[in-house]
Amino acid sequence: GSLNAGKVETLDSKGVPIIANIYSPKITSGTLFIGVFDLDIFNTLKSTKFGVAYDKKPLAVIGQYKYKAGAEYHYCPDPKEYHLTEVKDIKDECSIGVYLYEYDAEKAESDTRYTTYLTGENIKTSDKVIANAELKDGTDKAEYTEFRLDLDYIKEYDKEKSYRLAIVTSSSKDGDKFSGAPGSVLFIDNVEIINE
């Protein structure tokens, strides 16, 4: 399958109080992914529910991207205090990741709270992931540049099991740690999945 061009941008979301002691993040990285968005203001990383049911064995994801990092990088020393950042002399980078993970298909049928999905909180660390690949070069690209992400199988693929495939792109690669540069912009186009 293929996706049309998408644009994602990192924003300065100000870190303002929403209610009582609940703040918005100072840095909100733009994210484009396949899956479900279900807002959780108490843990924003859990809002992104990654992946769609996938019954083939993916080998690679190809596509094109261009990227421009924002001018001022904000580093968040403590992700629990995501409304507080300090400016650092770092250049922002984008990220594109592909993850194939096992899930309980029977439980998912009645899963109205999306608990069977991996999220922004755990997609990079979960032992449910059986294969993954991440973009090695997230630096500025003025023109569309081709990428190919070959999946690395950590565990054996079993066609009897149920899997979800997640493609996750971000305009700030450390956006899940609430760090990045406002104004960082990633364009992504012509994404295709190559299956066995």
Side-chain angles (χ1 to χ4, degrees), residues 122-148:
N122 59 10
I123 191 98
K124 291 179 181 175
T125 56
S126 174
D127 61 4
K128 291 189 170 75
V129 173
I130 73 150
N132 59 21
E134 290 178 4
L135 184 72
K136 300 254 188 309
D137 178 10
T139 59
D140 284 13
K141 299 284 174 277
E143 303 299 328
Y144 272 110
T145 302
E146 293 189 358
F147 68 86
R148 179 187 173 102

Short mmCIF file of all heavy atoms in Angstrom, two decimals, residues 122-148:
data_model
loop_
_atom_site.label_atom_id
_atom_site.label_comp_id
_atom_site.label_asym_id
_atom_site.label_seq_id
_atom_site.Cartn_x
_atom_site.Cartn_y
_atom_site.Cartn_z
N ASN A 122 5.78 3.23 24.68
CA ASN A 122 6.46 1.94 24.77
C ASN A 122 6.84 1.28 23.44
O ASN A 122 7.40 0.19 23.44
CB ASN A 122 5.61 0.96 25.60
CG ASN A 122 4.23 0.75 25.00
OD1 ASN A 122 3.93 1.16 23.89
ND2 ASN A 122 3.36 0.11 25.77
N ILE A 123 6.56 1.91 22.30
CA ILE A 123 6.83 1.25 21.01
C ILE A 123 8.31 0.91 20.83
O ILE A 123 8.67 -0.09 20.22
CB ILE A 123 6.31 2.09 19.81
CG1 ILE A 123 6.35 1.27 18.50
CG2 ILE A 123 7.10 3.36 19.61
CD1 ILE A 123 5.07 0.64 18.11
N LYS A 124 9.20 1.73 21.40
CA LYS A 124 10.64 1.51 21.21
C LYS A 124 11.23 0.51 22.20
O LYS A 124 12.35 0.05 22.03
CB LYS A 124 11.40 2.84 21.31
CG LYS A 124 11.12 3.77 20.13
CD LYS A 124 11.86 5.08 20.27
CE LYS A 124 11.56 6.01 19.11
NZ LYS A 124 12.17 7.33 19.27
N THR A 125 10.45 0.14 23.23
CA THR A 125 11.00 -0.71 24.29
C THR A 125 10.24 -2.02 24.49
O THR A 125 10.73 -2.91 25.17
CB THR A 125 11.00 0.04 25.63
OG1 THR A 125 9.66 0.48 25.90
CG2 THR A 125 11.93 1.25 25.60
N SER A 126 9.06 -2.16 23.91
CA SER A 126 8.21 -3.32 24.20
C SER A 126 8.78 -4.62 23.63
O SER A 126 9.29 -4.65 22.50
CB SER A 126 6.82 -3.10 23.61
OG SER A 126 6.04 -4.27 23.76
N ASP A 127 8.65 -5.71 24.41
CA ASP A 127 9.09 -7.02 23.92
C ASP A 127 8.05 -7.65 22.99
O ASP A 127 8.25 -8.77 22.50
CB ASP A 127 9.44 -7.95 25.08
CG ASP A 127 8.26 -8.22 26.01
OD1 ASP A 127 7.14 -7.75 25.71
OD2 ASP A 127 8.45 -8.91 27.02
N LYS A 128 6.94 -6.95 22.74
CA LYS A 128 5.96 -7.43 21.76
C LYS A 128 6.44 -7.16 20.32
O LYS A 128 5.94 -7.75 19.37
CB LYS A 128 4.61 -6.75 21.98
CG LYS A 128 3.89 -7.17 23.24
CD LYS A 128 2.47 -6.61 23.26
CE LYS A 128 1.63 -7.19 24.38
NZ LYS A 128 1.97 -6.64 25.69
N VAL A 129 7.39 -6.23 20.17
CA VAL A 129 7.91 -5.90 18.84
C VAL A 129 8.78 -7.06 18.35
O VAL A 129 9.71 -7.48 19.03
CB VAL A 129 8.72 -4.58 18.87
CG1 VAL A 129 9.41 -4.34 17.52
CG2 VAL A 129 7.82 -3.41 19.24
N ILE A 130 8.44 -7.59 17.15
CA ILE A 130 9.25 -8.70 16.62
C ILE A 130 10.21 -8.23 15.52
O ILE A 130 11.16 -8.93 15.19
CB ILE A 130 8.37 -9.88 16.12
CG1 ILE A 130 7.67 -9.55 14.81
CG2 ILE A 130 7.39 -10.34 17.18
CD1 ILE A 130 7.42 -10.77 13.95
N ALA A 131 9.94 -7.06 14.94
CA ALA A 131 10.82 -6.53 13.89
C ALA A 131 10.72 -5.02 13.88
O ALA A 131 9.65 -4.46 14.17
CB ALA A 131 10.42 -7.09 12.52
N ASN A 132 11.85 -4.36 13.55
CA ASN A 132 11.82 -2.89 13.47
C ASN A 132 12.91 -2.38 12.56
O ASN A 132 13.82 -3.12 12.17
CB ASN A 132 11.93 -2.27 14.87
CG ASN A 132 13.20 -2.66 15.59
OD1 ASN A 132 14.18 -3.07 14.99
ND2 ASN A 132 13.19 -2.53 16.90
N ALA A 133 12.79 -1.11 12.23
CA ALA A 133 13.81 -0.42 11.44
C ALA A 133 13.62 1.07 11.68
O ALA A 133 12.48 1.54 11.79
CB ALA A 133 13.66 -0.74 9.95
N GLU A 134 14.73 1.80 11.76
CA GLU A 134 14.64 3.25 11.98
C GLU A 134 15.58 3.98 11.03
O GLU A 134 16.67 3.48 10.71
CB GLU A 134 14.95 3.59 13.44
CG GLU A 134 13.86 3.11 14.38
CD GLU A 134 14.12 3.37 15.86
OE1 GLU A 134 15.15 3.99 16.18
OE2 GLU A 134 13.29 2.94 16.67
N LEU A 135 15.16 5.16 10.61
CA LEU A 135 15.97 6.00 9.72
C LEU A 135 17.28 6.35 10.42
O LEU A 135 17.28 6.80 11.56
CB LEU A 135 15.18 7.28 9.40
CG LEU A 135 15.82 8.26 8.41
CD1 LEU A 135 15.78 7.68 7.00
CD2 LEU A 135 15.08 9.60 8.45
N LYS A 136 18.40 6.15 9.71
CA LYS A 136 19.71 6.42 10.33
C LYS A 136 20.09 7.90 10.23
O LYS A 136 20.79 8.43 11.08
CB LYS A 136 20.79 5.59 9.63
CG LYS A 136 20.55 4.07 9.71
CD LYS A 136 21.49 3.39 10.69
CE LYS A 136 21.44 1.89 10.67
NZ LYS A 136 20.13 1.26 10.77
N ASP A 137 19.64 8.57 9.15
CA ASP A 137 20.04 9.96 8.91
C ASP A 137 18.82 10.89 8.97
O ASP A 137 18.08 10.98 8.01
CB ASP A 137 20.73 10.06 7.54
CG ASP A 137 21.13 11.49 7.20
OD1 ASP A 137 21.06 12.37 8.08
OD2 ASP A 137 21.51 11.73 6.04
N GLY A 138 18.65 11.55 10.12
CA GLY A 138 17.49 12.44 10.28
C GLY A 138 17.83 13.91 10.11
O GLY A 138 17.10 14.79 10.57
N THR A 139 18.96 14.19 9.44
CA THR A 139 19.41 15.58 9.29
C THR A 139 18.69 16.28 8.14
O THR A 139 17.97 15.65 7.36
CB THR A 139 20.94 15.63 9.06
OG1 THR A 139 21.26 14.88 7.88
CG2 THR A 139 21.69 15.04 10.25
N ASP A 140 18.93 17.59 8.00
CA ASP A 140 18.26 18.40 6.97
C ASP A 140 18.44 17.81 5.57
O ASP A 140 19.54 17.39 5.21
CB ASP A 140 18.84 19.83 6.97
CG ASP A 140 18.31 20.66 8.13
OD1 ASP A 140 17.72 20.09 9.07
OD2 ASP A 140 18.50 21.89 8.10
N LYS A 141 17.34 17.82 4.82
CA LYS A 141 17.36 17.43 3.40
C LYS A 141 16.52 18.46 2.66
O LYS A 141 15.30 18.50 2.83
CB LYS A 141 16.74 16.03 3.21
CG LYS A 141 17.48 14.92 3.94
CD LYS A 141 18.77 14.52 3.25
CE LYS A 141 19.57 13.53 4.07
NZ LYS A 141 20.40 14.11 5.11
N ALA A 142 17.18 19.29 1.83
CA ALA A 142 16.48 20.38 1.14
C ALA A 142 15.56 19.85 0.03
O ALA A 142 14.52 20.44 -0.25
CB ALA A 142 17.49 21.36 0.55
N GLU A 143 15.96 18.74 -0.58
CA GLU A 143 15.15 18.13 -1.65
C GLU A 143 14.65 16.77 -1.17
O GLU A 143 15.24 16.16 -0.26
CB GLU A 143 16.00 17.93 -2.92
CG GLU A 143 16.63 19.21 -3.47
CD GLU A 143 15.61 20.25 -3.88
OE1 GLU A 143 14.50 19.85 -4.34
OE2 GLU A 143 15.88 21.45 -3.74
N TYR A 144 13.60 16.28 -1.82
CA TYR A 144 13.12 14.94 -1.49
C TYR A 144 14.24 13.91 -1.66
O TYR A 144 14.92 13.89 -2.67
CB TYR A 144 11.92 14.55 -2.36
CG TYR A 144 10.60 14.99 -1.75
CD1 TYR A 144 9.85 16.01 -2.32
CD2 TYR A 144 10.12 14.38 -0.59
CE1 TYR A 144 8.65 16.42 -1.75
CE2 TYR A 144 8.92 14.78 -0.02
CZ TYR A 144 8.20 15.79 -0.60
OH TYR A 144 7.02 16.19 -0.03
N THR A 145 14.44 13.10 -0.63
CA THR A 145 15.51 12.11 -0.57
C THR A 145 14.89 10.75 -0.33
O THR A 145 14.01 10.60 0.53
CB THR A 145 16.47 12.48 0.59
OG1 THR A 145 16.97 13.80 0.37
CG2 THR A 145 17.62 11.50 0.71
N GLU A 146 15.35 9.75 -1.07
CA GLU A 146 14.78 8.41 -0.92
C GLU A 146 15.32 7.73 0.33
O GLU A 146 16.46 7.94 0.73
CB GLU A 146 15.09 7.57 -2.17
CG GLU A 146 14.36 8.12 -3.39
CD GLU A 146 14.46 7.20 -4.60
OE1 GLU A 146 15.13 6.15 -4.51
OE2 GLU A 146 13.85 7.55 -5.62
N PHE A 147 14.45 6.93 0.97
CA PHE A 147 14.90 6.11 2.09
C PHE A 147 14.39 4.69 1.90
O PHE A 147 13.39 4.45 1.23
CB PHE A 147 14.42 6.68 3.44
CG PHE A 147 12.93 6.59 3.66
CD1 PHE A 147 12.35 5.45 4.19
CD2 PHE A 147 12.11 7.67 3.35
CE1 PHE A 147 10.97 5.37 4.40
CE2 PHE A 147 10.73 7.60 3.55
CZ PHE A 147 10.16 6.44 4.08
N ARG A 148 15.11 3.75 2.48
CA ARG A 148 14.69 2.35 2.52
C ARG A 148 15.01 1.83 3.91
O ARG A 148 16.16 1.87 4.35
CB ARG A 148 15.43 1.52 1.47
CG ARG A 148 15.04 0.04 1.50
CD ARG A 148 15.89 -0.83 0.59
NE ARG A 148 15.57 -2.23 0.81
CZ ARG A 148 14.79 -2.97 0.01
NH1 ARG A 148 14.28 -2.43 -1.09
NH2 ARG A 148 14.53 -4.24 0.30
#
